[in-house]
Amino acid sequence: MRDDPRLPTSPRFWRSPLRGTWFTAVLGLVLLGGISVLFVTGLVSYAAYNPDLSPVNDTTPDKGVLSFYLFDWPAGPSWLYRLTQGVHVTLGIVLVPVLLAKLWSVVPKLFTLPPARSVAHALERISLLLLVGGALFQFVTGLLNIQLEYVFPGSFYPLHFYGAWVFIAAFVVHAALRTPMALRTVRARRRDEAELAAPDPAPPTVSRRGALWLVGGGSLLLFVTTVGQSLGGPWRRTALLAPHGGSDPGGGPNGFQINKTARYAGITDADTHPDAWRLVVTGPTGTVRLSRADLLRLPQHSSSLPIACVEGWSTADQWWRGVRLRDLAGLAGYDGAPPDVLVESLQRHGAFRSAALRANQVSDPRSLLALYVNGEELSLDHGYPARIIVPAAPGVHNTKWVGRLTFGDL
């Protein structure tokens, strides 16, 4: 059975002349750099949620020691999250052809018999299984998330977070064992080592360099048809593979991207009618209830800020106008430096109905309870009668349809 060329357990089953140590080493080194950047930007994205500030921000409870790297997320520059998450998502998509080519190049090793020749070999095979399975899991769940297809069981956030740590553990072990050999192979330009080369290769139809150009061309095509969703402006029209690519939805001042509509969130005109809606602001001096007309009588300020989301898309900078959060903290009894704030939405169901903002975000003069965008009242889908807009924060923390602000240490 092992030597039957009709079965994948036989080395003679795999006849492609492209497989070889040099080809695999080049792909592996590209993935080494790319996945390292993906892991770091993924950790940065999680830190941007300020998960240690309040339980409502913590998308992965019981993370324990895996929170060792968390830091207070800054409020500037305003494009920070757009950059880090844009790199994370765009690079993840760009690396898909490289990952598939790398897996294809080593697939014969997955069928090698016997499955374990020794304890050490068994451990190596198990780590390889975690590496391949982890890579596929992380890339598939990430791609499904940016396409807004939540077909996997449970929440995307803990699945992707814990999956990343399992994968990176196997990745680090594999990289430590294989990177020195890969570097030697690429430098020496060895192209036909028996470990991966087919013993009975078929006639070549393309060279290994040609195959690498094909993989690189696929990655370049994915880059061109994806990156525009993070750049915004006219580049958005090139983002053909992104759910928030193409031209801006609708027209006018409110004609820019959204994830969550009022209908999805269960928001109705009755909830936001001027006679019914009040903003409840709570602090050490008690509770203040403000109508939209009351808010408009407070000092108004403007900020030019984007919205950037975990799916990798972002808007161009929009011109927001409303009341500074630090001024609202003053109404709640904080005359000096404002504290943290818990923001609660009128939203009835779904994730991120509330979010906590750090004191540095509240005190930033660009952080607003926005009432207008681009010179016009907010549309219902963009958060009328009032929404949060904070520089450098993930989009889900720019809470829409705000109903309550609770200032204090969280």
Side-chain angles (χ1 to χ4, degrees), residues 225-361:
T225 54
T226 302
V227 71
Q229 71 164 352
S230 298
L231 298 177
W235 295 103
R236 190 175 302 283
R237 297 180 183 274
T238 67
L240 304 178
L241 299 182
H244 288 80
S247 58
D248 288 347
N254 279 275
F256 56 93
Q257 281 71 21
I258 58 171
N259 255 5
K260 188 186 301 179
T261 65
R263 181 178 180 181
Y264 168 83
I267 305 297
T268 66
D269 291 334
D271 298 318
T272 60
H273 192 278
D275 293 337
W277 180 82
R278 294 293 184 272
L279 174 69
V280 179
V281 181
T282 301
T285 58
T287 297
V288 180
R289 296 174 61 87
L290 302 168
S291 67
R292 200 169 190 276
D294 294 329
L295 291 169
L296 289 171
R297 283 190 286 269
L298 295 175
Q300 302 292 298
H301 300 272
S302 297
S303 298
S304 181
L305 298 172
I307 296 175
C309 280
V310 69
E311 295 89 2
W313 66 268
S314 62
T315 70
D317 286 2
Q318 309 297 321
W319 192 253
W320 308 90
R321 188 163 179 80
V323 183
R324 284 176 174 167
L325 293 183
R326 66 187 189 186
D327 291 345
L328 292 170
L331 288 179
Y334 290 95
D335 295 329
D340 310 325
V341 64
L342 176 65
V343 185
E344 298 177 74
S345 173
L346 301 177
Q347 181 180 339
R348 291 183 173 83
H349 58 81
F352 301 105
R353 295 185 295 274
S354 57
L357 301 175
R358 286 195 182 277
N360 67 306
Q361 295 173 310

Side-chain angles (χ1 to χ4, degrees), residues 21-23 181 184-186 188-193:
T21 303
W22 180 84
F23 184 73
M181 184 182 71
R184 290 194 300 270
T185 299
V186 171
R189 297 183 179 274
R190 293 184 300 170
R191 305 191 183 193
D192 54 348
E193 190 168 306

Side-chain angles (χ1 to χ4, degrees), residues 332-395:
Y334 290 95
D335 295 329
D340 310 325
V341 64
L342 176 65
V343 185
E344 298 177 74
S345 173
L346 301 177
Q347 181 180 339
R348 291 183 173 83
H349 58 81
F352 301 105
R353 295 185 295 274
S354 57
L357 301 175
R358 286 195 182 277
N360 67 306
Q361 295 173 310
V362 176
S363 63
D364 193 288
R366 297 167 295 177
S367 297
L368 302 176
L369 180 73
L371 307 173
Y372 290 85
V373 63
N374 299 322
E376 186 175 281
E377 282 188 350
L378 297 167
S379 67
L380 190 59
D381 282 341
H382 277 299
Y384 179 88
R387 68 168 296 161
I388 296 293
I389 185 72
V390 174

Side-chain angles (χ1 to χ4, degrees), residues 145-209:
N145 179 64
I146 63 176
Q147 294 296 330
L148 309 179
E149 294 290 344
Y150 302 107
V151 296
F152 34 77
S155 170
F156 163 77
Y157 295 93
L159 288 174
H160 205 64
F161 178 82
Y162 292 121
W165 282 104
V166 172
F167 165 65
I168 205 65
F171 179 76
V172 168
V173 172
H174 184 77
L177 295 174
R178 294 293 182 175
T179 298
M181 184 182 71
L183 290 172
R184 290 194 300 270
T185 299
V186 171
R187 289 169 181 166
R189 297 183 179 274
R190 293 184 300 170
R191 305 191 183 193
D192 54 348
E193 190 168 306
E195 181 184 8
L196 291 172
D200 182 23
T205 57
V206 64
S207 68
R208 286 174 178 164
R209 287 190 179 275

